[in-house]
Amino acid sequence: MSMSMAKNTRACCLLLLRLLALAATVTAAIVMGTSHEITTFFNIKLEAKFQYTPAFVFFLIVNAVGGVYTLLVLFIPRFNNSVSSFIILMDLVVTMFLVSAISAAGAVSQVGKKGNEHAGWLPICGQTPEFCDHVMGALISAFVGVLIYFVLLLHTIYSNIFSPLLT
Amino acid sequence: MSMSMAKNTRACCLLLLRLLALAATVTAAIVMGTSHEITTFFNIKLEAKFQYTPAFVFFLIVNAVGGVYTLLVLFIPRFNNSVSSFIILMDLVVTMFLVSAISAAGAVSQVGKKGNEHAGWLPICGQTPEFCDHVMGALISAFVGVLIYFVLLLHTIYSNIFSPLLT
């Protein structure tokens, strides 16, 4: 009875983590997708869109696909070892892609914020603060998502090493 | 006898993979560290150094630390479960950091190559082709390293799921 309760509690925690990861990745995708600002700077119209930067497009796609995967995985019954190992593999791949998307978008937004005087790239966040806030918000949200995925991975790895039965 | 031979072959393969990962990450760090080009462009001296870009500095540090870790792990005896699980955790963390470093450096080098007309950032690779080649070489080398780490992670996860004994 106590074993079964512990198992249920764990299953609930894992479900909750997946739901949080879903919320975080979908929020990141939406916040990035709605980042758009038009501003005028000395009579020059300046338009900032996530579509103008490949790293931001990659970020949006990875978070959207990651969110869809997180939703789907909630409904897949783990009836045998093959399904479970496929989910573990996909969890690992999704985590890697999220890390990659956050790093790429983060590196470009660092250039946007600080510029790079040696390359002659001026910072643009002074002119488009709202756009930069959106990008920053999306990065934070995706980071929360990747932290949750990291916890899920650690749980998978350690629960399988210390007790060989699949959960 | 046959079981023991299979085990030895596997241990040899894993050792070889670690050595390849070591070579790849150290090469990536060295190639990035030696990227330096001074050029003149319409009488303006242009100097390209990896130190000028935070993403490239991060890349160098992650690959150097990853290389040192890969070297150290070859000499750590796996005498019990705690050591093995620590190594698995570290493998996962190193892989994440390598993915992060490659993505960040890759995103900035994409801006260096193509520029971003909307932000007014001009491409610089036309002026500093040698520097860009170095960065590209370092990225490819680090990518090989991360692929090997991914294979090592998959091996760890699946060998523990399908046979609970630690290898």
Side-chain angles (χ1 to χ4, degrees):
Chain A
M1 186 64 182
S2 153
M3 268 293 272
S4 156
M5 261 179 74
K7 214 173 168 180
N8 279 340
T9 312
R10 193 163 75 164
C12 268
C13 279
L14 290 176
L15 179 69
L16 197 69
L17 282 176
R18 291 259 176 208
L19 287 174
L20 281 173
L22 173 66
T25 47
V26 169
T27 305
I30 290 171
V31 172
M32 181 60 89
T34 54
S35 62
H36 182 225
E37 189 174 9
I38 299 173
T39 180
T40 44
F41 182 62
F42 291 124
N43 282 333
I44 300 163
K45 205 183 93 172
L46 207 74
E47 190 178 13
K49 271 184 177 183
F50 80 93
Q51 290 99 319
Y52 290 161
T53 305
F56 293 165
V57 175
F58 178 60
F59 179 91
L60 181 97
I61 293 170
V62 168
N63 276 282
V65 173
V68 169
Y69 164 74
T70 314
L71 186 65
L72 286 180
V73 94
L74 293 174
F75 297 103
I76 297 175
R78 279 141 212 237
F79 47 83
N80 64 21
N81 267 6
S82 311
V83 175
S84 290
S85 10
F86 180 71
I87 291 173
I88 294 167
L89 172 66
M90 286 307 294
D91 281 356
L92 190 61
V93 170
V94 165
T95 312
M96 299 285 170
F97 269 98
L98 280 173
V99 169
S100 176
I102 294 168
S103 306
V108 173
S109 64
Q110 193 272 338
V111 176
K113 208 168 181 71
K114 302 275 174 187
N116 190 324
E117 52 173 316
H118 306 285
W121 300 336
L122 293 173
I124 59 151
C125 282
Q127 278 76 54
T128 57
E130 211 184 289
F131 177 73
C132 286
D133 285 349
H134 260 258
V135 171
M136 186 54 78
L139 283 173
I140 292 169
S141 186
F143 190 70
V144 171
V146 92
L147 280 184
I148 296 169
Y149 259 100
F150 191 72
V151 170
L152 286 171
L153 274 180
L154 289 187
H155 171 264
T156 306
I157 293 172
Y158 289 111
S159 67
N160 282 305
I161 286 173
F162 292 116
S163 67
L165 280 167
L166 278 165
T167 48
Chain B
M1 187 62 182
S2 153
M3 268 293 272
S4 155
M5 261 180 73
K7 213 172 170 182
N8 279 341
T9 311
R10 195 164 72 163
C12 268
C13 279
L14 290 176
L15 179 69
L16 197 70
L17 282 176
R18 290 258 177 210
L19 287 173
L20 281 173
L22 173 66
T25 47
V26 169
T27 305
I30 290 171
V31 172
M32 181 60 90
T34 54
S35 63
H36 183 224
E37 190 175 8
I38 300 173
T39 181
T40 43
F41 181 61
F42 292 124
N43 282 332
I44 300 163
K45 206 183 93 172
L46 207 73
E47 190 179 13
K49 270 184 179 183
F50 80 92
Q51 291 97 320
Y52 290 161
T53 305
F56 293 164
V57 176
F58 178 59
F59 179 92
L60 181 98
I61 294 171
V62 167
N63 275 283
V65 172
V68 170
Y69 164 74
T70 314
L71 185 66
L72 285 180
V73 95
L74 293 174
F75 297 103
I76 297 174
R78 279 141 213 237
F79 46 83
N80 63 21
N81 267 6
S82 311
V83 175
S84 290
S85 11
F86 180 71
I87 291 173
I88 295 168
L89 173 66
M90 286 307 294
D91 281 355
L92 189 61
V93 170
V94 166
T95 311
M96 300 280 174
F97 269 98
L98 281 174
V99 168
S100 176
I102 294 168
S103 306
V108 173
S109 65
Q110 192 271 339
V111 176
K113 208 167 182 72
K114 302 276 174 185
N116 189 325
E117 50 174 319
H118 305 285
W121 300 336
L122 293 173
I124 59 152
C125 282
Q127 278 77 55
T128 57
E130 211 184 289
F131 177 73
C132 286
D133 286 348
H134 260 258
V135 171
M136 186 53 78
L139 283 173
I140 292 169
S141 187
F143 190 71
V144 171
V146 91
L147 279 184
I148 296 169
Y149 260 100
F150 192 74
V151 171
L152 286 172
L153 274 181
L154 288 187
H155 171 264
T156 307
I157 292 173
Y158 289 111
S159 67
N160 282 304
I161 285 173
F162 294 115
S163 66
L165 279 166
L166 277 165
T167 49

Coordinates of all heavy atoms in Angstrom, one line a residue, chain A residues 6-7 16 18 24 50 54 58 71 74 76 98 110 112 114 116 120 133 151 165:
Chain A
A6 N 3.7 5.7 -2.8 CA 5.0 6.4 -3.2 C 5.1 6.4 -4.8 O 5.5 7.4 -5.3 CB 6.2 5.6 -2.6
K7 N 4.6 5.4 -5.4 CA 4.7 5.3 -6.8 C 3.7 6.3 -7.5 O 4.1 7.0 -8.4 CB 4.3 3.9 -7.3 CG 5.0 3.4 -8.5 CD 4.8 2.0 -8.8 CE 5.3 1.6 -10.2 NZ 5.0 0.2 -10.6
L16 N 3.4 16.6 -13.3 CA 3.4 18.0 -13.0 C 4.6 18.7 -13.7 O 4.5 19.8 -14.3 CB 3.5 18.2 -11.5 CG 3.2 19.6 -11.0 CD1 1.7 19.9 -11.1 CD2 3.6 19.8 -9.5
R18 N 6.2 17.6 -16.4 CA 5.9 17.7 -17.8 C 5.0 18.8 -18.2 O 5.2 19.5 -19.2 CB 5.3 16.4 -18.3 CG 6.1 15.2 -18.3 CD 6.7 14.8 -19.6 NE 7.6 13.7 -19.5 CZ 8.6 13.5 -20.3 NH1 8.9 14.3 -21.3 NH2 9.4 12.5 -20.1
A24 N 6.2 26.2 -20.1 CA 7.4 27.0 -20.3 C 7.8 27.1 -21.7 O 8.1 28.2 -22.2 CB 8.6 26.5 -19.4
F50 N 11.4 39.1 -34.9 CA 12.2 37.9 -34.7 C 12.6 37.2 -36.0 O 13.6 36.6 -36.1 CB 11.5 36.9 -33.7 CG 10.4 36.1 -34.4 CD1 10.8 34.8 -34.9 CD2 9.1 36.6 -34.5 CE1 9.8 34.1 -35.4 CE2 8.2 35.8 -35.1 CZ 8.5 34.5 -35.6
P54 N 18.0 34.5 -37.9 CA 17.8 33.0 -37.9 C 17.8 32.4 -36.6 O 17.0 31.4 -36.4 CB 19.0 32.6 -38.8 CG 19.4 33.8 -39.6 CD 19.0 35.0 -38.7
F58 N 14.9 29.8 -35.2 CA 15.3 28.5 -34.7 C 14.8 28.3 -33.3 O 14.2 27.3 -32.9 CB 16.8 28.4 -34.7 CG 17.4 27.1 -34.1 CD1 17.1 25.8 -34.7 CD2 18.3 27.1 -33.1 CE1 17.6 24.7 -34.2 CE2 18.8 25.9 -32.6 CZ 18.4 24.7 -33.1
L71 N 3.5 17.7 -24.9 CA 2.0 17.4 -24.9 C 1.8 16.0 -25.3 O 1.1 15.2 -24.6 CB 1.3 18.4 -25.8 CG -0.2 18.3 -25.7 CD1 -0.7 18.8 -24.3 CD2 -0.8 19.2 -26.8
L74 N 2.6 13.0 -22.9 CA 1.6 12.8 -21.8 C 0.6 11.7 -22.1 O 0.1 11.1 -21.2 CB 0.9 14.1 -21.4 CG 1.8 15.3 -20.9 CD1 0.9 16.5 -20.7 CD2 2.4 14.9 -19.6
I76 N 1.1 9.1 -24.3 CA 1.6 7.9 -24.8 C 1.7 6.9 -23.7 O 2.4 7.1 -22.7 CB 3.0 8.1 -25.5 CG1 3.0 9.0 -26.7 CG2 3.7 6.7 -25.9 CD1 4.3 9.3 -27.3
L98 N 16.7 22.3 -27.0 CA 16.4 23.5 -26.2 C 17.6 24.2 -25.8 O 17.7 25.5 -25.9 CB 15.5 23.1 -25.0 CG 14.1 22.8 -25.2 CD1 13.4 22.2 -24.0 CD2 13.3 24.0 -25.7
Q110 N 22.8 39.0 -26.9 CA 23.9 39.6 -26.3 C 24.5 40.7 -27.2 O 24.9 41.8 -26.8 CB 24.9 38.6 -25.8 CG 26.0 39.1 -24.8 CD 27.2 39.7 -25.5 OE1 27.5 39.4 -26.7 NE2 28.0 40.5 -24.8
G112 N 22.9 42.1 -29.6 CA 21.9 43.2 -29.7 C 22.0 44.1 -28.5 O 21.7 45.3 -28.7
K114 N 24.7 44.6 -26.2 CA 26.0 45.2 -26.0 C 26.7 45.6 -27.3 O 27.6 46.4 -27.2 CB 26.9 44.2 -25.2 CG 26.4 43.7 -23.9 CD 26.7 44.7 -22.8 CE 26.1 44.2 -21.5 NZ 26.2 45.2 -20.4
N116 N 29.1 44.9 -30.7 CA 30.5 44.5 -30.7 C 31.3 45.5 -31.5 O 31.3 45.6 -32.7 CB 30.5 43.1 -31.4 CG 31.9 42.5 -31.3 OD1 32.9 43.1 -31.3 ND2 31.9 41.1 -31.2
G120 N 32.2 46.4 -35.4 CA 31.4 47.6 -35.9 C 29.9 47.3 -35.8 O 29.1 48.0 -36.5
D133 N 13.0 43.2 -24.6 CA 12.3 42.6 -23.4 C 11.6 41.3 -23.7 O 11.6 40.4 -22.9 CB 11.3 43.6 -22.8 CG 12.0 44.8 -22.1 OD1 13.2 44.7 -21.8 OD2 11.3 45.8 -21.8
V151 N 16.0 17.9 -15.1 CA 15.5 17.2 -13.9 C 14.9 15.8 -14.3 O 15.2 14.8 -13.8 CB 14.5 18.0 -13.1 CG1 13.9 17.2 -12.0 CG2 15.3 19.2 -12.4
L165 N 13.9 -1.5 -12.9 CA 12.6 -1.5 -13.5 C 12.2 -0.2 -14.1 O 12.5 0.8 -13.5 CB 11.5 -1.8 -12.4 CG 11.4 -3.3 -12.0 CD1 10.6 -3.4 -10.7 CD2 10.7 -4.1 -13.1

